[in-house]
Amino acid sequence: MERKFAIAIHGGAGSILKETLGPTLEGEYKNSLENSLVAASNILNKGGKAIDAVELAVEIMENDPLFNAGKGSVMTHDGEFELDASIMDGRNRMAGAVCGIRNIPNPIKVARMVMTHSEHVLLSGKGARRFAEKMGFERVEPDYFFTLERAKQLKAARKRDKILLDHSHDEKHGTVGAVALDMNGDLAAATSTGGLTNKKFGRVGDSPLLGAGTWAENKVCAVSCTGQGEAFIRSATAYELAARIKFAGLNLENAAYLAIHETINSLGLSGGLIAVDGFGNIAMPFNTIGMYRASLKQGEKPFIGMFKN
Amino acid sequence: MERKFAIAIHGGAGSILKETLGPTLEGEYKNSLENSLVAASNILNKGGKAIDAVELAVEIMENDPLFNAGKGSVMTHDGEFELDASIMDGRNRMAGAVCGIRNIPNPIKVARMVMTHSEHVLLSGKGARRFAEKMGFERVEPDYFFTLERAKQLKAARKRDKILLDHSHDEKHGTVGAVALDMNGDLAAATSTGGLTNKKFGRVGDSPLLGAGTWAENKVCAVSCTGQGEAFIRSATAYELAARIKFAGLNLENAAYLAIHETINSLGLSGGLIAVDGFGNIAMPFNTIGMYRASLKQGEKPFIGMFKN
């Protein structure tokens, strides 16, 4: 049987409205999503691995200041940049993750190294950075992440003493992620974020947590979530979706729909996710106003969207 | 319908053998487990809440130097004490957790405060300690946790450059945990650990991760895990058990058995868990040589065990 690859990416969910975004920014987001999608698809198209495709898709979005991850990360209450990321390989459920890592431009690459070059899954804070440095990652100064936009957001949030889930507009949840099925039938997922504007006390969301924000399991599905992280942790959302397929026999579309519109809704919280199964089906549900997202199934036209329809 | 309470606790799983433990230490562990079980049961017996019972059970074990949690925590590679804990309330799936927290004797109490006094679920490192101090927790010096036994273990582990999962003997996985069903039919779970002897790079295991080491969901089950944390993260074990009950219709015993003897075994890794369901059924499977454990169903005799049978 000849298998076809499939890939989906997201750049965060929230109150993304055509009217407020404006045509210029809309075009920029479209370009950025397309860049990531095309580069990752090229890997898959050449018979490359799902795990390499999701890593690259996320790395490209981490390097893009438009998204709340890597370079575009929001600032903590103390004006720092503390980043989270995770990656999972569906072939063997190997996984790697970092939380609260500073001074490293691409946390997703460190997460991959945790998976391949350590006995652990999750490294945190200074220790995660020390691991990255040991692995040869270059350290950048906080300036690297600094943008006037993020500083303004922090100032506004501190004034209101509000912890923002947003990356540039209110109620927009900043995270990037990718899920892929390769021609070998293998699944992988990756997620990365700068967290919350004005976050305090070393808060960790769902993005670096396997089973919450990220999951990949061959023959079942690969999932990456975005939204109010606490809701996704309290629902084990990424794994819940997999469990509905594995144990309840649901198809991907129904399992993904319920994960958001039943489980996350039942907590009165919001977000979205992207998921792909072993057949190349793709689901991208969200209960927010919009979600930056793009997908491609081999031989079909790519989809790029951000609004409800 | 009159409901009966049920509670189970654990103090870690590993190569616990009657011969190597010796009668004195066996007696001490028995006493310690009994102390925790009795105190927590008293809460439930008076009609108290499951969430209060599991917190107290864990707090008592955290204060006991026999267990790798709180006072008895093992040392990191740098000779520090970095503690992890999580707690979850099955009534509303509210949860709180801390990872890599220093200078705080009872991380489980901080986790409870994260649940009740913050908008977050997981706080890490220095931030978690700052939160604890803001909540009025007293800070202790590292001496509080220091024991000659743990220092010897670190020295031996560093010599062999080995990261030990143990708290006093090789291959013993140190964690404490509790699960309970109260007379109101509510479920709760709590887990706490000092992590791994000689751990590096801010490694975080499954204990502070909801869905991995801890889960509680009314009418489904409450779970606390112990063992090689990476296996439990890569299997989303605590939630997997719940999912097999919710989505596959398994009973607690079978779901718990499969979580350990199928899923954890399939990774070639080891550990155990304790679980209770809404009917007061209790399961305590492990694939290690032994697991410190105790349980009590209202109106029945308590069980205290550590070896295979």
Side-chain angles (χ1 to χ4, degrees):
Chain A
M1 177 183 124
E2 201 203 331
R3 281 174 189 276
K4 290 186 171 180
F5 74 77
I7 180 165
I9 63 172
H10 72 77
S15 57
I16 303 158
L17 276 170
K18 202 176 177 72
E19 305 85 86
T20 48
L21 199 62
T24 312
L25 211 49
E26 185 183 335
E28 286 178 20
Y29 274 107
K30 226 170 226 171
N31 277 341
S32 288
L33 289 166
E34 196 177 5
N35 286 344
S36 168
L37 189 73
V38 166
S41 300
N42 284 344
I43 290 181
L44 299 170
N45 202 33
K46 289 176 199 151
K49 293 188 178 112
I51 191 80
D52 294 325
V54 296
E55 184 187 1
L56 182 65
V58 167
E59 185 189 343
I60 289 170
M61 289 189 280
E62 280 179 342
N63 293 339
D64 190 324
L66 278 183
F67 303 107
N68 175 21
K71 185 158 178 53
S73 291
V74 298
M75 296 170 104
T76 69
H77 182 74
D78 301 323
E80 308 273 1
F81 301 93
E82 296 180 349
L83 283 51
D84 304 329
S86 65
I87 191 164
M88 190 165 185
D89 189 333
R91 289 176 293 182
N92 45 20
R93 300 207 319 274
M94 288 291 282
V98 290
C99 66
I101 193 168
R102 295 184 184 180
N103 305 97
I104 302 287
N106 293 107
I108 198 65
K109 293 170 75 81
V110 185
R112 177 88 185 255
M113 279 286 193
V114 173
M115 177 171 85
T116 53
H117 287 70
S118 87
E119 294 170 41
H120 302 312
V121 170
L122 176 57
L123 303 182
S124 67
K126 264 187 201 166
R129 190 180 63 202
R130 277 207 299 266
F131 174 79
E133 286 170 348
K134 200 185 156 192
M135 291 294 123
F137 283 87
E138 252 185 82
R139 194 183 154 133
V140 295
E141 291 309 306
D143 309 1
Y144 171 83
F145 305 97
F146 188 87
T147 61
L148 216 56
E149 179 73 12
R150 298 305 189 206
K152 268 189 210 158
Q153 286 167 19
L154 174 62
K155 202 176 160 190
R158 288 176 75 156
K159 216 167 176 176
R160 286 174 287 158
D161 195 24
K162 200 180 157 187
I163 293 166
L164 289 181
L165 296 152
D166 316 348
H167 60 114
S168 53
H169 308 291
D170 269 357
E171 290 174 53
K172 189 158 60 183
H173 313 310
T175 314
V176 305
V179 295
L181 168 74
D182 64 29
M183 289 197 258
N184 203 35
D186 295 325
L187 293 165
T191 311
S192 181
T193 187
L196 308 180
T197 294
N198 199 26
K199 73 180 172 185
K200 294 178 192 174
F201 303 128
R203 178 263 188 188
V204 177
D206 64 315
S207 301
L209 305 186
L210 287 311
T214 305
W215 190 259
E217 187 173 351
N218 267 13
K219 293 181 187 164
V220 184
C221 62
V223 186
S224 171
C225 302
T226 174
Q228 294 178 290
E230 281 71 14
F232 291 79
I233 299 174
R234 291 170 54 201
S235 306
T237 302
Y239 188 79
E240 186 206 289
L241 203 168
R244 285 193 196 266
I245 295 173
K246 278 202 291 187
F247 301 135
L250 263 60
N251 65 25
L252 183 85
E253 193 185 344
N254 290 337
Y257 180 88
L258 291 172
I260 295 297
H261 295 285
E262 189 179 279
T263 308
I264 296 295
N265 266 2
S266 74
L267 296 175
L269 296 168
S270 67
L273 61 82
I274 54 172
V276 59
D277 68 12
F279 305 104
N281 297 306
I282 288 172
M284 301 192 283
F286 53 95
N287 67 358
T288 46
I289 295 175
M291 179 167 81
Y292 298 112
R293 62 201 187 279
S295 64
L296 178 66
K297 295 182 191 185
Q298 190 173 6
E300 298 185 15
K301 269 180 66 177
F303 167 85
I304 299 178
M306 36 197 95
F307 314 116
K308 207 80 193 177
N309 297 305
Chain B
M1 179 183 127
E2 200 202 333
R3 281 174 189 275
K4 290 185 172 182
F5 74 78
I7 180 165
I9 63 172
H10 71 76
S15 57
I16 303 158
L17 277 169
K18 202 176 177 71
E19 304 85 87
T20 49
L21 199 61
T24 311
L25 212 48
E26 184 184 334
E28 285 178 21
Y29 273 107
K30 225 169 226 172
N31 277 341
S32 288
L33 289 166
E34 195 178 5
N35 285 344
S36 168
L37 189 72
V38 167
S41 300
N42 284 344
I43 290 181
L44 298 170
N45 202 33
K46 287 178 200 151
K49 293 188 177 112
I51 191 78
D52 294 324
V54 296
E55 185 187 3
L56 181 65
V58 167
E59 185 189 343
I60 289 171
M61 289 189 280
E62 281 179 341
N63 293 340
D64 189 325
L66 277 182
F67 302 107
N68 175 22
K71 185 158 180 54
S73 291
V74 297
M75 296 170 104
T76 69
H77 181 73
D78 300 323
E80 308 273 2
F81 300 94
E82 296 181 349
L83 283 50
D84 303 329
S86 64
I87 191 164
M88 189 164 186
D89 190 332
R91 289 176 294 182
N92 46 18
R93 301 206 320 272
M94 289 289 283
V98 291
C99 66
I101 194 168
R102 294 183 184 181
N103 306 96
I104 303 286
N106 293 107
I108 197 65
K109 292 171 75 83
V110 185
R112 176 88 185 254
M113 279 286 194
V114 173
M115 178 171 85
T116 53
H117 286 71
S118 88
E119 292 171 43
H120 303 313
V121 171
L122 176 57
L123 303 182
S124 66
K126 264 187 201 165
R129 191 181 62 203
R130 278 206 299 265
F131 173 80
E133 287 170 348
K134 200 185 155 192
M135 290 293 122
F137 283 87
E138 252 184 82
R139 194 184 154 133
V140 294
E141 291 309 306
D143 309 3
Y144 170 82
F145 304 98
F146 188 87
T147 60
L148 216 56
E149 179 74 10
R150 298 304 189 206
K152 268 189 211 160
Q153 286 168 18
L154 175 61
K155 201 176 161 189
R158 289 175 75 156
K159 215 166 175 177
R160 289 174 285 158
D161 195 25
K162 202 181 155 187
I163 292 165
L164 290 181
L165 295 153
D166 316 347
H167 60 115
S168 53
H169 309 292
D170 269 358
E171 291 175 54
K172 187 159 61 182
H173 312 309
T175 314
V176 306
V179 294
L181 168 74
D182 64 29
M183 289 198 258
N184 203 36
D186 295 325
L187 292 164
T191 311
S192 181
T193 187
L196 308 179
T197 295
N198 199 26
K199 72 178 172 186
K200 293 178 193 174
F201 303 128
R203 177 264 188 187
V204 178
D206 64 316
S207 302
L209 305 185
L210 286 311
T214 306
W215 190 260
E217 188 172 351
N218 267 12
K219 293 181 189 165
V220 184
C221 61
V223 186
S224 171
C225 302
T226 173
Q228 294 177 289
E230 282 71 14
F232 290 80
I233 299 175
R234 290 170 54 200
S235 306
T237 303
Y239 188 78
E240 185 206 289
L241 202 168
R244 284 192 197 267
I245 295 174
K246 278 202 292 187
F247 301 135
L250 263 61
N251 65 26
L252 183 85
E253 192 184 344
N254 290 338
Y257 180 88
L258 291 171
I260 295 297
H261 295 285
E262 188 178 279
T263 309
I264 296 296
N265 266 1
S266 73
L267 296 175
L269 296 169
S270 66
L273 62 81
I274 53 172
V276 61
D277 68 12
F279 305 104
N281 297 305
I282 289 172
M284 301 192 284
F286 53 94
N287 68 358
T288 46
I289 295 176
M291 180 167 81
Y292 297 112
R293 62 201 188 279
S295 64
L296 177 67
K297 296 183 191 184
Q298 190 173 6
E300 299 185 14
K301 268 180 67 177
F303 167 85
I304 299 178
M306 34 196 98
F307 313 117
K308 207 80 193 176
N309 298 303

